Amino acid sequence: MDTLNVAIYGASGYTGAELIRLLTLHPAVRITALSAESNAGRPMADVFPQFSALDLPMLQTLKELDLDPIDVLFCALPHGTTQTALKAALEAKPSLKVVDLSADFRLADPKDYAAWYGHKHLAPELQSEAVYGLVEVHRAAIAKARLTGNPGCYTTTVLLALVPLVAAQAIDVERIVIDAKSGMTGAGRAAKMGMLFSEVSEGFHAYSVGKHRHTAELDQELSIAAGRPVTPTFTPHLVPMNRGIYATIYADGDPMRLHTILADTYAEEPFVTVLPFGEVPQSRHVRGSNFTRIGVVPDRRAGKTIVISTLDNLVKGASGQAVQNMNVMCALPETTGLQQLALFP
Amino acid sequence: MDTLNVAIYGASGYTGAELIRLLTLHPAVRITALSAESNAGRPMADVFPQFSALDLPMLQTLKELDLDPIDVLFCALPHGTTQTALKAALEAKPSLKVVDLSADFRLADPKDYAAWYGHKHLAPELQSEAVYGLVEVHRAAIAKARLTGNPGCYTTTVLLALVPLVAAQAIDVERIVIDAKSGMTGAGRAAKMGMLFSEVSEGFHAYSVGKHRHTAELDQELSIAAGRPVTPTFTPHLVPMNRGIYATIYADGDPMRLHTILADTYAEEPFVTVLPFGEVPQSRHVRGSNFTRIGVVPDRRAGKTIVISTLDNLVKGASGQAVQNMNVMCALPETTGLQQLALFP
Amino acid sequence: MDTLNVAIYGASGYTGAELIRLLTLHPAVRITALSAESNAGRPMADVFPQFSALDLPMLQTLKELDLDPIDVLFCALPHGTTQTALKAALEAKPSLKVVDLSADFRLADPKDYAAWYGHKHLAPELQSEAVYGLVEVHRAAIAKARLTGNPGCYTTTVLLALVPLVAAQAIDVERIVIDAKSGMTGAGRAAKMGMLFSEVSEGFHAYSVGKHRHTAELDQELSIAAGRPVTPTFTPHLVPMNRGIYATIYADGDPMRLHTILADTYAEEPFVTVLPFGEVPQSRHVRGSNFTRIGVVPDRRAGKTIVISTLDNLVKGASGQAVQNMNVMCALPETTGLQQLALFP
Amino acid sequence: MDTLNVAIYGASGYTGAELIRLLTLHPAVRITALSAESNAGRPMADVFPQFSALDLPMLQTLKELDLDPIDVLFCALPHGTTQTALKAALEAKPSLKVVDLSADFRLADPKDYAAWYGHKHLAPELQSEAVYGLVEVHRAAIAKARLTGNPGCYTTTVLLALVPLVAAQAIDVERIVIDAKSGMTGAGRAAKMGMLFSEVSEGFHAYSVGKHRHTAELDQELSIAAGRPVTPTFTPHLVPMNRGIYATIYADGDPMRLHTILADTYAEEPFVTVLPFGEVPQSRHVRGSNFTRIGVVPDRRAGKTIVISTLDNLVKGASGQAVQNMNVMCALPETTGLQQLALFP
């Protein structure tokens, strides 16, 4: 394969570091440029010392970063700045392939975007061009896309479990309850009191109950799958662990049928494992890998099913899925650079 | 107050140690005898070194332990052995007050017991005599009881939130979903591979989905409150933390009304705090204390409510509630010995 | 006993919260006033929800706080502001008893202070008046003091182990190596990237090697005990746990003799437990309590000893010791309000 | 390269699982056979579910396992059984290359073995044939070896830091203090009460003070390097984390000189990173990787140095180093299959 020159916007956050961890072992990629505003001028190893043995490009400001040689751009900037940064990038070099890890290009409807994010989208043409980068669902469209909006970590976890069931009309879409749990890296690397070790270890709590922004993505994709509006109940929680999303989904539908649909859907998918009927997945068994594990368990009451889905929020829920998107967009074998197994224990 | 002579059967487990932590500071109690079969003949400080500065009785076998001077017996034996041990104890000394922390005296119906535990109850007369020791619900009966079955940790967490709502017919009892999470001490101190640090840290998983034994207690008490059979969906999970139960409960019912009912019910209760409408509790804020904290949050869809309840499984979910039961049974002020505040951080 | 009116300067940090946890159960104390600049005007339960069931005074600015009714002032302000705040307080009300939890009044020599903290002390008269508040060592002086400088957490852990040995000339003071480990609460509640859960969990590291400021306190107190300058090697590390200091101290000296000295020194001390010869303490067995546990273990080479000391940095290493100082300064029984046992597990 | 057929004895422990994680991505290896006595007849995914998507051989008993097609044998059996198992294996197939991860073939002197392990070695000829598998120190001998004894995790961490310093006579070998800390996976997967989550989380403690068996390996290798007997002080501790060894080593020697020696020694080594002078490594930056990171920091007193070394006990401290040994023994490029980067956060 030819070598792709890759740049990362926003390399000093957790998803940026995770991209570097994965791309360093990707045989078709050269990491050519890295941006990080406040750390510009410093080596990547200053912000993530585990990379000190690698030969990586120096961190630059967005403005300094030369897109000329770049084939693929991963954008791990915060929500908001992303819109203008990518608009500028694609105007400067229209032939770029871009995978955006922010939330800016996930919602197709400008009204949805404005409603959930509180302001008008600043790059509406790109928004309508962008493809929702959930590979297992939108693979064909992604293969032709110039810009993909990499799905949120909660959303990926839930959609991989629910889209096939909703599409098959196998569950009551009025009755979906999603109780989701996330590790702490989902909150990013910004210094916030609420994320200090002593504030979040040795305890558990829900947050953003009834109003988490990933809800908008859930609504969009489930509604597409269902062919009508779906607005599930969704409650996120924080778990004192670093990595992992764990979604316990309560659905009205026949357990055996749901299991069959999921097992059939994912029989050939390299990154989704449907467990034998009745078995329960654990988040630790996907840690550090691009895998999603899904279990289907019957409730004691007939016609009720618990569907459980888990993945690593920094891999399949962010940077791993981003690499998977790149592979599809660049016609590389989809699993290239993504074969690392879970680190357990 | 007079001093009560207290014995603990099964002092070498976590709930036994927690009883000692609490009772040592209880002004009306003397810890007079402690049993622990495999550690008999050793001081308590050998099994829990934090007690080495205390003057505690030596550990004895059940057989050696003299009940003559004992006024109150706490039984923290494993399920099963409890039935015969307490039968013998109450035959030997009928005037004993007994608080049992096992599951043996929680289910009133012998058929329920046999169905969930796989064998006939060995002390059926005591089973029918025993009162379900959920103080906030059964206080009057407990005050007159000789034997209380201290509720399970999950059950206490859920029932304190749901009993008032079900009793007021404020929620649809056909549609209750309980997603519950527990810290690791709930699994006890027995050496099991699945409870090793490296097996349970840095990850999250559900277990006993659709079949956890606490379900039987939930059914019993919710059905009493509702006046008809209630069989909620109940899914327990393990959180990598030591203490805490966190129940996220999905109910069809009006959020404001549910909040009002709970706030009114618990306005005068010393150990149940109902948070302001919309606020979310955290398990760490009850750690080490006898408090339960309950939050009521509206879903984004009208008529749907998320009720969240949290407590420390070893205190209000076990040994603290046991002391509370003793206080009620012995006509002591209910909060005696239970004023320690949460240890946070 | 008469009731003491107590104020806390800087109540919204971890040591402030810990003071409230302890003082609420102290029978001779009323918490009369609480300061917290950025949270002034809010209830304490807003910053530490575990206190929501208590009836505490509203948070005020330092300026608003009326010292007139106050008998005892605990100062938990950051290093630096403390000097001017306490100078003003003692000028406004010279009869106050003050326990300062910052580092500002621990070093007796103004030159030492300037050398380690980079500026001249702003209240030098108070500095020379202040007594070093290590009760087990300076009890008599503390009983007569108006102002005590509560020792640092590392320092308390190490000095309780070493002062008797150094004073008895039982170890080679040229050869002391102190390898110390701390839980995360020692870093306080300020939002720092380096203290985020995902930065400090699942790993271990040393910090401030060869230059931690507690070294100055160690030098001061060990030199007093030795009667000549002592400058031990001291290396602090961070442990992914909330509470606890654990000091592994390497000393040249006879193990049995060292054990005898320590056991004799602390035979009557309520808060220091010397373990049987050869036994090793664990930090979790002091969690939440005011105890220090010390073990003495022989090295395999004759004449070399490992002395291990552990305490809870927020209790005996900060707020518990502060209450102990208050008890001594106010002629109350020293253990009043400090009987809570360790919370383990 | 030709494909090597590899077998693993004792595949169901943590080091067995780690070998599979690494070898699955090794381009010159086929995993041909796996043994696990109590789990024989079951798939590997039953004991480590993260492997469920792989096509691995079924677990067999040692007796069933056919060595005929095997080129390389990794032995991850417990200490003791290893001796007889490997003796039998090498008699059955003398051309095997064997890397043993137990402690059985690390000590060259039969008397040392008997003294530390309490019984005579059962395969003394193999013991004298075996090469101590610390690649950076014994590379040439390993390249010619048939059987290597893979070093202990503590030992590897310490020796990589100390062997060059001792060999250069740059430190006082009479004055070495090693304060070492380990994550929990070092204790293996056997169900022991002392390793339960609730026993080891949220706390810290030393163990085996003055008598840990890895001391024998330290003595042996340091004495070889020094050319005379060296018996350092060595104290191991347990950290509430899964992976990582962290050794804080106190040495009398000039800091700059020690740094120069280490930096020179490891300039070309692919798996050992010596940090810039004065910088402190963190265990989390090697998690899941085969790297060792070493820092050299001056004490405040002249002529005293703190040398800090850290690695992942399951990778460079066990299975990664075992693969590195295999690569050297089989004349493969030494880094083959070992390029995975640290998983941080």
Side-chain angles (χ1 to χ4, degrees), chain D residues 3 15 28 84 166 187 199 216 281 285 290 337:
Chain D
T3 296
T15 53
T84 43
V166 165
E199 296 292 315
H285 297 145
N290 199 49

Side-chain angles (χ1 to χ4, degrees), chain A residues 40-64:
Chain A
R42 300 169 64 197
M44 187 67 188
D46 271 17
V47 289
F48 286 104
Q50 73 265 31
F51 297 132
S52 65
L54 299 179
D55 186 26
L56 290 170
M58 201 64 85
L59 295 171
Q60 300 172 282
T61 62
L62 223 58
K63 214 173 149 182
E64 292 163 349

Side-chain angles (χ1 to χ4, degrees), chain D residues 100-176:
Chain D
D100 177 38
L101 287 88
S102 85
D104 279 12
F105 293 100
R106 295 177 190 159
L107 298 185
D109 184 334
K111 276 176 297 185
D112 280 355
Y113 184 85
W116 283 91
Y117 291 91
H119 65 90
K120 283 182 84 166
H121 202 286
L122 303 173
E125 317 75 28
L126 288 180
Q127 193 190 15
S128 65
E129 176 189 342
V131 173
Y132 192 75
L134 187 62
V135 180
E136 287 77 6
V137 174
H138 298 297
R139 187 175 278 121
I142 293 165
K144 292 179 284 187
R146 185 175 67 149
L147 167 60
T148 54
N150 209 51
C153 48
Y154 281 122
T155 334
T156 303
T157 318
V158 173
L159 291 178
L160 289 174
L162 282 185
V163 163
L165 305 180
V166 165
Q169 302 189 317
I171 64 175
D172 180 352
V173 295
E174 295 296 318
R175 288 274 162 211
I176 300 169

